[in-house]
Amino acid sequence: MKILKITLASLLIISLASCKKEGKTIETSADSLFTKKDSVVVPEIYKEYYGIYTGEFAGKGMITSEDGEEYEGDIYKKISLKINRITKDSVYGQSIVEGNQRPFRGVFNKSSNSFVLDEPGNDKTDGRFEVKLKSDSITGKWTAFNKSAVKAPSKILKLIKKEFVYNPNFMLDENSDLIDWENPKDFVEKYTDEETGKTETYTSSKNRVASDAVFKINASTQKLTEKELKNLRKLDMEIIKNAVFARHGYAFKKQTYRSFFEQTDWYIPVSNNVDNELSPMEKDNVALLNRFIKYAEDKYDQFGR
């Protein structure tokens, strides 16, 4: 009997190893536990609260200045909370900040109209939301699980419920700031002293700037040609290309692109992967833009801020 037990145990180990090699192991990650549905069908309630709530995510934290000095200041971000499912015992959804999409699970207290929502905890940016629902708005706070891992471990939320709609005609507002503030570049300049006639050099910090072409070219509604693109600036084409993804609710990781599209009232980040949502023409346009972006040049200028 003892020999039989050892044999069965050995077979079990071999079987598990085989499943692992074939990619058939059961998911046990924290993320999967937060997103998988209950094995028993549980009635959903309060479906009127389902949806996307987006807005301000702000707190105090340490900021590094351009000269490398650190100081405490206000850190502002945009966040979307998506409530997907509410049952008697659980709330399921996801948070989206700076392109980082995290599942959460928690509870809803109807008497106080409040949520306590926990992200998995296996990412340094995870934390707990303690928020209240009033009409179509959510307010409250978020606290990081690992307070030393993030710049602002405590943040305040002020969110409004918005319906995400894909509209191929969405464009940047013509009053938008078209300067890429996130990627300054130093240039060596020369000037001649009028009194001495001596030529000297100095370093000037400049930023990329787009042109008005970004208000006229729409890669979601028109088939682009090489002729249209060959004289555009690199930043122009980056904005035109990423406007395609912004219309589909893509959550940008790069601050440069978030800054441009957060100036609009239609941009709502809902997913960190929208590739399958693009139309065939949008995919073709993106591919063409990528070809030209690779070799395009930027226009730099000097601005105050």
Side-chain angles (χ1 to χ4, degrees):
M1 182 62 69
K2 185 174 181 181
I3 295 173
L4 178 60
K5 284 183 180 180
I6 294 173
T7 303
L8 289 173
S10 301
L11 288 172
L12 180 60
I13 292 170
I14 294 170
S15 176
L16 288 173
S18 176
C19 287
K20 186 174 182 180
K21 287 181 181 179
E22 295 176 11
K24 297 179 181 179
T25 51
I26 299 172
E27 288 188 20
T28 56
S29 69
D31 286 11
S32 67
L33 294 175
F34 275 62
T35 55
K36 74 173 185 177
K37 293 185 178 181
D38 302 313
S39 57
V40 178
V41 177
V42 179
E44 296 182 48
I45 55 178
Y46 307 126
K47 291 185 178 181
E48 64 273 22
Y49 301 149
Y50 292 15
I52 301 166
Y53 298 81
T54 187
E56 184 178 295
F57 193 44
K60 294 283 187 182
M62 298 306 295
I63 301 174
T64 304
S65 65
E66 292 183 1
D67 56 8
E69 293 186 3
E70 285 197 344
Y71 64 94
E72 186 178 53
D74 295 318
I75 296 176
Y76 293 95
K77 297 181 180 180
K78 186 172 184 177
I79 188 172
S80 290
L81 294 186
K82 188 176 180 183
I83 307 295
N84 295 329
R85 187 165 173 258
I86 303 176
T87 67
K88 181 181 177 181
D89 300 317
S90 298
V91 178
Y92 300 86
Q94 59 191 19
S95 64
I96 304 171
V97 185
E98 296 186 337
N100 190 23
Q101 185 172 324
R102 302 295 295 151
F104 60 66
R105 185 172 182 175
V107 294
F108 176 63
N109 186 324
K110 178 57 180 174
S111 62
S112 60
N113 259 23
S114 62
F115 293 93
V116 176
L117 308 168
D118 286 334
E119 293 166 318
N122 58 345
D123 186 280
K124 69 178 183 179
T125 64
D126 285 351
R128 166 173 288 183
F129 296 94
E130 296 174 86
V131 296
K132 285 191 175 183
L133 177 67
K134 184 178 181 181
S135 186
D136 283 342
S137 67
I138 282 179
T139 57
K141 67 177 182 177
W142 171 89
T143 306
F145 293 139
N146 185 348
K147 294 180 173 57
S148 63
V150 292
K151 290 184 177 180
S154 179
K155 295 187 180 73
I156 300 299
L157 295 88
K158 295 180 181 179
L159 313 180
I160 297 294
K161 189 176 185 180
K162 287 190 175 183
E163 182 180 0
F164 170 75
V165 177
Y166 166 71
N167 186 332
N169 296 307
F170 283 150
M171 298 287 284
L172 286 184
D173 187 280
E174 292 196 3
N175 294 317
S176 297
D177 177 0
L178 298 182
I179 304 168
D180 175 11
W181 295 106
E182 306 306 316
N183 299 284
K185 185 177 180 180
D186 289 337
F187 291 83
V188 176
E189 306 281 0
K190 293 182 179 181
Y191 77 97
T192 301
D193 190 303
E194 293 181 358
E195 293 184 1
T196 65
K198 185 178 179 181
T199 299
E200 298 185 7
T201 61
Y202 66 97
T203 301
S204 175
S205 181
K206 297 184 178 183
N207 297 82
R208 300 195 302 164
V209 58
S211 75
D212 290 346
V214 299
F215 304 128
K216 302 171 184 176
I217 299 177
N218 186 333
S220 293
T221 61
Q222 62 193 89
K223 181 70 174 176
L224 302 185
T225 65
E226 294 186 3
K227 183 178 179 180
E228 288 175 298
L229 303 182
K230 66 179 182 180
N231 293 320
L232 294 182
R233 301 169 186 177
K234 186 174 183 177
L235 185 57
D236 290 344
M237 290 187 281
E238 288 177 355
I239 293 174
I240 292 167
K241 181 190 85 170
N242 284 293
V244 171
F245 294 95
R247 295 180 189 108
H248 287 281
Y250 179 69
F252 294 101
K253 290 186 179 294
K254 289 188 176 181
Q255 178 64 44
T256 294
Y257 306 135
R258 292 200 308 272
S259 296
F260 286 121
F261 298 110
E262 286 178 359
Q263 295 178 61
T264 73
D265 59 1
W266 54 262
Y267 174 59
I268 302 174
V270 295
S271 175
N272 57 11
N273 189 339
V274 298
D275 291 349
N276 293 333
E277 306 300 322
L278 271 59
S279 69
M281 184 177 69
E282 287 176 325
K283 291 178 181 179
D284 289 343
N285 284 338
V286 166
L288 180 63
L289 284 159
N290 281 336
R291 279 174 47 205
F292 275 76
I293 287 171
K294 188 175 180 179
Y295 301 103
E297 295 183 357
D298 273 313
K299 166 70 174 178
Y300 285 85
D301 213 333
Q302 192 167 16
F303 304 94
R305 193 173 189 180

